[in-house]
PDB file of all heavy atoms in Angstrom:
ATOM      1  N   LEU A 470      14.453 -15.382  20.030  1.00  0.00           N
ATOM      2  CA  LEU A 470      14.569 -15.546  18.581  1.00  0.00           C
ATOM      3  C   LEU A 470      15.587 -14.547  18.054  1.00  0.00           C
ATOM      4  O   LEU A 470      15.282 -13.363  17.933  1.00  0.00           O
ATOM      5  CB  LEU A 470      13.209 -15.328  17.921  1.00  0.00           C
ATOM      6  CG  LEU A 470      13.170 -15.394  16.370  1.00  0.00           C
ATOM      7  CD1 LEU A 470      13.652 -16.747  15.881  1.00  0.00           C
ATOM      8  CD2 LEU A 470      11.783 -15.087  15.856  1.00  0.00           C
ATOM      9  N   PRO A 471      16.819 -14.980  17.738  1.00  0.00           N
ATOM     10  CA  PRO A 471      17.850 -14.047  17.249  1.00  0.00           C
ATOM     11  C   PRO A 471      17.377 -13.361  15.976  1.00  0.00           C
ATOM     12  O   PRO A 471      17.071 -14.015  14.987  1.00  0.00           O
ATOM     13  CB  PRO A 471      19.053 -14.939  16.986  1.00  0.00           C
ATOM     14  CG  PRO A 471      18.805 -16.185  17.791  1.00  0.00           C
ATOM     15  CD  PRO A 471      17.325 -16.360  17.815  1.00  0.00           C
ATOM     16  N   THR A 472      17.345 -12.009  16.005  1.00  0.00           N
ATOM     17  CA  THR A 472      16.728 -11.260  14.903  1.00  0.00           C
ATOM     18  C   THR A 472      17.528 -10.002  14.569  1.00  0.00           C
ATOM     19  O   THR A 472      17.189  -8.905  15.005  1.00  0.00           O
ATOM     20  CB  THR A 472      15.277 -10.875  15.281  1.00  0.00           C
ATOM     21  OG1 THR A 472      14.562 -12.029  15.735  1.00  0.00           O
ATOM     22  CG2 THR A 472      14.538 -10.296  14.074  1.00  0.00           C
ATOM     23  N   PRO A 473      18.595 -10.140  13.776  1.00  0.00           N
ATOM     24  CA  PRO A 473      19.302  -8.945  13.310  1.00  0.00           C
ATOM     25  C   PRO A 473      18.487  -8.221  12.241  1.00  0.00           C
ATOM     26  O   PRO A 473      17.426  -8.680  11.824  1.00  0.00           O
ATOM     27  CB  PRO A 473      20.608  -9.504  12.737  1.00  0.00           C
ATOM     28  CG  PRO A 473      20.262 -10.895  12.320  1.00  0.00           C
ATOM     29  CD  PRO A 473      19.229 -11.393  13.302  1.00  0.00           C
ATOM     30  N   ASN A 474      19.031  -7.101  11.813  1.00  0.00           N
ATOM     31  CA  ASN A 474      18.305  -6.206  10.878  1.00  0.00           C
ATOM     32  C   ASN A 474      19.078  -6.091   9.576  1.00  0.00           C
ATOM     33  O   ASN A 474      20.304  -5.898   9.587  1.00  0.00           O
ATOM     34  CB  ASN A 474      18.159  -4.829  11.527  1.00  0.00           C
ATOM     35  CG  ASN A 474      17.230  -3.908  10.776  1.00  0.00           C
ATOM     36  OD1 ASN A 474      16.218  -4.361  10.232  1.00  0.00           O
ATOM     37  ND2 ASN A 474      17.545  -2.646  10.734  1.00  0.00           N
ATOM     38  N   ILE A 475      18.381  -6.201   8.446  1.00  0.00           N
ATOM     39  CA  ILE A 475      19.034  -6.002   7.149  1.00  0.00           C
ATOM     40  C   ILE A 475      18.383  -4.823   6.428  1.00  0.00           C
ATOM     41  O   ILE A 475      17.299  -4.396   6.758  1.00  0.00           O
ATOM     42  CB  ILE A 475      18.961  -7.279   6.278  1.00  0.00           C
ATOM     43  CG1 ILE A 475      17.522  -7.705   6.011  1.00  0.00           C
ATOM     44  CG2 ILE A 475      19.765  -8.398   6.920  1.00  0.00           C
ATOM     45  CD1 ILE A 475      17.399  -8.928   5.115  1.00  0.00           C
ATOM     46  N   PHE A 476      19.105  -4.313   5.447  1.00  0.00           N
ATOM     47  CA  PHE A 476      18.697  -3.072   4.786  1.00  0.00           C
ATOM     48  C   PHE A 476      17.402  -3.237   4.006  1.00  0.00           C
ATOM     49  O   PHE A 476      17.099  -4.294   3.441  1.00  0.00           O
ATOM     50  CB  PHE A 476      19.807  -2.580   3.852  1.00  0.00           C
ATOM     51  CG  PHE A 476      20.037  -3.441   2.623  1.00  0.00           C
ATOM     52  CD1 PHE A 476      19.399  -3.148   1.430  1.00  0.00           C
ATOM     53  CD2 PHE A 476      20.903  -4.522   2.654  1.00  0.00           C
ATOM     54  CE1 PHE A 476      19.609  -3.916   0.278  1.00  0.00           C
ATOM     55  CE2 PHE A 476      21.121  -5.307   1.534  1.00  0.00           C
ATOM     56  CZ  PHE A 476      20.457  -4.999   0.351  1.00  0.00           C
ATOM     57  N   ALA A 477      16.628  -2.149   3.978  1.00  0.00           N
ATOM     58  CA  ALA A 477      15.411  -2.081   3.153  1.00  0.00           C
ATOM     59  C   ALA A 477      15.534  -0.988   2.112  1.00  0.00           C
ATOM     60  O   ALA A 477      14.743  -0.932   1.170  1.00  0.00           O
ATOM     61  CB  ALA A 477      14.178  -1.856   4.019  1.00  0.00           C
ATOM     62  N   GLY A 478      16.507  -0.064   2.301  1.00  0.00           N
ATOM     63  CA  GLY A 478      16.794   0.928   1.276  1.00  0.00           C
ATOM     64  C   GLY A 478      16.454   2.360   1.601  1.00  0.00           C
ATOM     65  O   GLY A 478      16.930   3.287   0.926  1.00  0.00           O
ATOM     66  N   GLY A 479      15.630   2.621   2.588  1.00  0.00           N
ATOM     67  CA  GLY A 479      15.202   3.975   2.865  1.00  0.00           C
ATOM     68  C   GLY A 479      16.320   4.867   3.386  1.00  0.00           C
ATOM     69  O   GLY A 479      17.211   4.408   4.097  1.00  0.00           O
ATOM     70  N   GLU A 480      16.262   6.130   3.015  1.00  0.00           N
ATOM     71  CA  GLU A 480      17.199   7.118   3.549  1.00  0.00           C
ATOM     72  C   GLU A 480      16.413   8.368   3.996  1.00  0.00           C
ATOM     73  O   GLU A 480      15.303   8.606   3.545  1.00  0.00           O
ATOM     74  CB  GLU A 480      18.231   7.513   2.474  1.00  0.00           C
ATOM     75  CG  GLU A 480      19.146   6.362   2.062  1.00  0.00           C
ATOM     76  CD  GLU A 480      20.613   6.748   2.132  1.00  0.00           C
ATOM     77  OE1 GLU A 480      20.994   7.549   2.996  1.00  0.00           O
ATOM     78  OE2 GLU A 480      21.375   6.215   1.295  1.00  0.00           O
ATOM     79  N   ASN A 481      17.053   9.153   4.872  1.00  0.00           N
ATOM     80  CA  ASN A 481      16.447  10.371   5.431  1.00  0.00           C
ATOM     81  C   ASN A 481      15.074  10.064   6.051  1.00  0.00           C
ATOM     82  O   ASN A 481      14.101  10.816   5.895  1.00  0.00           O
ATOM     83  CB  ASN A 481      16.281  11.463   4.364  1.00  0.00           C
ATOM     84  CG  ASN A 481      17.593  11.888   3.742  1.00  0.00           C
ATOM     85  OD1 ASN A 481      18.658  11.563   4.260  1.00  0.00           O
ATOM     86  ND2 ASN A 481      17.522  12.580   2.630  1.00  0.00           N
ATOM     87  N   MET A 482      15.003   8.958   6.760  1.00  0.00           N
ATOM     88  CA  MET A 482      13.730   8.473   7.257  1.00  0.00           C
ATOM     89  C   MET A 482      13.151   9.407   8.337  1.00  0.00           C
ATOM     90  O   MET A 482      13.862  10.199   8.943  1.00  0.00           O
ATOM     91  CB  MET A 482      13.879   7.046   7.769  1.00  0.00           C
ATOM     92  CG  MET A 482      14.176   6.074   6.627  1.00  0.00           C
ATOM     93  SD  MET A 482      14.353   4.359   7.102  1.00  0.00           S
ATOM     94  CE  MET A 482      16.035   4.310   7.714  1.00  0.00           C
ATOM     95  N   HIS A 483      11.841   9.308   8.527  1.00  0.00           N
ATOM     96  CA  HIS A 483      11.084  10.092   9.501  1.00  0.00           C
ATOM     97  C   HIS A 483      10.984  11.562   9.119  1.00  0.00           C
ATOM     98  O   HIS A 483      10.822  12.414   9.978  1.00  0.00           O
ATOM     99  CB  HIS A 483      11.688   9.992  10.913  1.00  0.00           C
ATOM    100  CG  HIS A 483      11.673   8.609  11.488  1.00  0.00           C
ATOM    101  ND1 HIS A 483      11.914   8.362  12.832  1.00  0.00           N
ATOM    102  CD2 HIS A 483      11.451   7.400  10.919  1.00  0.00           C
ATOM    103  CE1 HIS A 483      11.829   7.061  13.054  1.00  0.00           C
ATOM    104  NE2 HIS A 483      11.560   6.445  11.905  1.00  0.00           N
ATOM    105  N   SER A 484      11.097  11.869   7.856  1.00  0.00           N
ATOM    106  CA  SER A 484      11.076  13.266   7.452  1.00  0.00           C
ATOM    107  C   SER A 484      10.480  13.425   6.069  1.00  0.00           C
ATOM    108  O   SER A 484      10.289  12.467   5.329  1.00  0.00           O
ATOM    109  CB  SER A 484      12.491  13.852   7.440  1.00  0.00           C
ATOM    110  OG  SER A 484      13.201  13.469   6.277  1.00  0.00           O
ATOM    111  N   ARG A 485      10.215  14.676   5.691  1.00  0.00           N
ATOM    112  CA  ARG A 485       9.697  14.984   4.354  1.00  0.00           C
ATOM    113  C   ARG A 485      10.753  14.712   3.277  1.00  0.00           C
ATOM    114  O   ARG A 485      10.436  14.663   2.086  1.00  0.00           O
ATOM    115  CB  ARG A 485       9.246  16.446   4.301  1.00  0.00           C
ATOM    116  CG  ARG A 485      10.353  17.455   4.369  1.00  0.00           C
ATOM    117  CD  ARG A 485       9.837  18.896   4.275  1.00  0.00           C
ATOM    118  NE  ARG A 485       9.345  19.409   5.553  1.00  0.00           N
ATOM    119  CZ  ARG A 485       8.076  19.609   5.837  1.00  0.00           C
ATOM    120  NH1 ARG A 485       7.144  19.356   4.946  1.00  0.00           N
ATOM    121  NH2 ARG A 485       7.710  20.068   7.009  1.00  0.00           N
ATOM    122  N   PHE A 486      12.006  14.536   3.684  1.00  0.00           N
ATOM    123  CA  PHE A 486      13.094  14.326   2.723  1.00  0.00           C
ATOM    124  C   PHE A 486      13.424  12.847   2.523  1.00  0.00           C
ATOM    125  O   PHE A 486      14.438  12.516   1.907  1.00  0.00           O
ATOM    126  CB  PHE A 486      14.330  15.084   3.182  1.00  0.00           C
ATOM    127  CG  PHE A 486      14.104  16.565   3.365  1.00  0.00           C
ATOM    128  CD1 PHE A 486      13.978  17.120   4.635  1.00  0.00           C
ATOM    129  CD2 PHE A 486      13.977  17.399   2.273  1.00  0.00           C
ATOM    130  CE1 PHE A 486      13.768  18.480   4.801  1.00  0.00           C
ATOM    131  CE2 PHE A 486      13.740  18.740   2.428  1.00  0.00           C
ATOM    132  CZ  PHE A 486      13.639  19.293   3.690  1.00  0.00           C
ATOM    133  N   GLU A 487      12.589  11.994   3.012  1.00  0.00           N
ATOM    134  CA  GLU A 487      12.791  10.540   2.880  1.00  0.00           C
ATOM    135  C   GLU A 487      12.762  10.129   1.410  1.00  0.00           C
ATOM    136  O   GLU A 487      11.971  10.640   0.617  1.00  0.00           O
ATOM    137  CB  GLU A 487      11.694   9.826   3.663  1.00  0.00           C
ATOM    138  CG  GLU A 487      11.850   8.336   3.746  1.00  0.00           C
ATOM    139  CD  GLU A 487      10.702   7.697   4.524  1.00  0.00           C
ATOM    140  OE1 GLU A 487       9.701   8.393   4.812  1.00  0.00           O
ATOM    141  OE2 GLU A 487      10.786   6.482   4.817  1.00  0.00           O
TER     142      GLU A 487
END
Side-chain angles (χ1 to χ4, degrees):
L470 177 60
T472 309
N474 190 36
I475 59 177
F476 69 93
E480 295 232 32
N481 300 346
M482 293 181 279
H483 297 194
S484 79
R485 69 179 82 252
F486 302 105
E487 186 181 10

